[in-house]
Amino acid sequence: SVQDLKSIGLTPKFVQKCLEIRERGYLEQAEAFRKDAEIHSLLELTRIHGVGPALAQAWLRCGVRSIADVRARADTLPG
């Protein structure tokens, strides 16, 4: 119940997310992330050893969206 979730110290916002998952079976915010092409690109780029979120975002601003893009433009990318 909501009281049980609150009693263990969960924040009201987190409790709402738990209730949404219980009612719908999924979290709408998570679904939006799964459908976001920029998030997919960011995750793919950060799988490259040594590439963190900041560098991946810089590459996204340069138009890089995939590992293939990195290979094609390796000489011109920041970092």
Side-chain angles (χ1 to χ4, degrees), residues 8-69:
I8 60 172
L10 299 179
T11 65
K13 189 173 181 179
F14 193 80
V15 170
Q16 281 305 116
K17 290 178 181 183
C18 291
L19 294 174
E20 181 181 343
I21 291 169
R22 189 173 70 188
E23 288 173 17
R24 295 182 181 185
Y26 65 93
L27 186 62
E28 190 172 326
Q29 183 180 19
E31 283 297 308
F33 279 130
R34 284 188 194 100
K35 295 175 183 175
D36 189 321
E38 190 165 302
I39 296 291
H40 281 277
S41 295
L42 186 66
L43 291 173
E44 181 176 351
L45 295 174
T46 56
R47 285 190 204 117
I48 300 170
H49 178 74
V51 177
L55 183 55
Q57 288 174 344
W59 288 355
L60 285 172
R61 287 190 296 273
C62 292
V64 172
R65 297 288 180 260
S66 67
I67 293 173
D69 291 344

